[in-house]
Amino acid sequence: MNSREKILAAIAINKPAFQPMPDVVVDIKYDYSVLVPQFLNILQINGATAVWVENVQTIKDDLQKNIAGGHYTINTTEVLGIVNEEININSNPAFLDPVEIAYISGTLGIAENGAIWLEESKMRNRLLPFICQHLVIVLDVTKIVADMHEAYKRITLGNEGYGVFVAGPSKTADIEQSLVVGAHGARSLKVYLLS
């Protein structure tokens, strides 16, 4: 018996017994009054800034302040006014590289992990949420769901070519066990919850 056969025989002897798959209950009744506070709490744990606003004017004022401050700011959210039409699915990464702040509409927010589903049509270019320095997501407060099971029930993948869950600013701790923010995406995430 060669080494390979010995290893495979040892694995076969020590193989654990099959376990039945757990029952996943997805039709749980949730207390929706706690979803928004839980979502806000998890967002902050993830390193994002969450702001709950009563009307869209607060977000428009923030957008105008960033534009007036000389920051290269991109808006893809129609409710905020003028959308940057020059950004589209064919935009070259070198063209998007100087984008400092990007405003994008979120489709769903997930209370259990603070993730937000972004659809390609709302971001206009799939690089935009990752190449910008600071990401601002506008999310309707009624679009917060309890968990990923409920989120996947509501996501229609066939309608979009691409979508992504974003759960805070980009960060990694792979390098010398030091937390690095903005290593492979936006350095900050601000979420406006719009009532």
Side-chain angles (χ1 to χ4, degrees):
M1 183 181 275
N2 64 27
S3 297
R4 179 179 182 272
E5 291 168 343
K6 287 179 185 176
I7 292 169
L8 292 175
I11 291 171
I13 291 170
N14 293 307
K15 192 161 100 176
F18 284 106
Q19 299 293 323
M21 292 292 291
D23 292 328
V24 178
V25 180
V26 293
D27 291 327
I28 300 170
K29 300 297 179 214
Y30 295 99
D31 180 0
Y32 285 91
S33 66
V34 300
L35 288 185
V36 174
Q38 179 182 355
F39 179 69
L40 291 170
N41 183 46
I42 300 296
L43 271 176
Q44 290 173 345
I45 290 170
N46 289 346
T49 302
V51 181
W52 194 346
V53 295
E54 293 296 323
N55 60 57
V56 74
Q57 190 59 46
T58 304
I59 311 169
K60 287 181 178 180
D61 292 344
D62 183 57
L63 172 64
Q64 290 306 317
K65 183 183 83 176
N66 286 323
I67 293 170
H71 305 293
Y72 183 28
T73 304
I74 297 295
N75 176 37
T76 67
T77 306
E78 291 178 6
V79 73
L80 298 182
I82 298 172
V83 172
N84 293 80
E85 297 294 337
E86 72 273 16
I87 305 297
N88 58 54
I89 197 165
N90 297 317
S91 296
N92 186 302
F95 176 71
L96 295 173
D97 186 49
V99 174
E100 190 160 344
I101 304 167
Y103 286 74
I104 300 174
S105 290
T107 304
L108 280 177
I110 297 88
E112 76 172 341
N113 60 11
I116 301 167
W117 177 250
L118 302 177
E119 295 176 337
E120 183 173 34
S121 62
K122 292 185 179 170
M123 60 181 103
R124 301 181 63 87
N125 185 298
R126 54 180 73 172
L127 287 175
L128 190 57
F130 308 106
I131 204 165
C132 67
Q133 294 296 312
H134 306 283
L135 178 59
V136 180
I137 298 176
V138 179
L139 181 65
D140 185 335
V141 75
T142 63
K143 302 295 184 187
I144 296 175
V145 298
D147 56 29
M148 295 298 284
H149 295 292
E150 193 172 345
Y152 277 113
K153 282 186 200 175
R154 296 185 187 208
I155 293 171
T156 50
L157 295 174
N159 296 344
E160 298 282 332
Y162 175 78
V164 64
F165 284 106
V166 174
S170 163
K171 52 191 166 297
T172 183
D174 293 343
I175 304 161
E176 297 180 0
Q177 299 177 346
S178 297
L179 182 63
V180 178
V181 177
H184 46 262
R187 291 186 293 149
S188 72
L189 171 63
K190 181 186 273 188
V191 178
Y192 279 110
L193 283 182
L194 184 58
S195 296

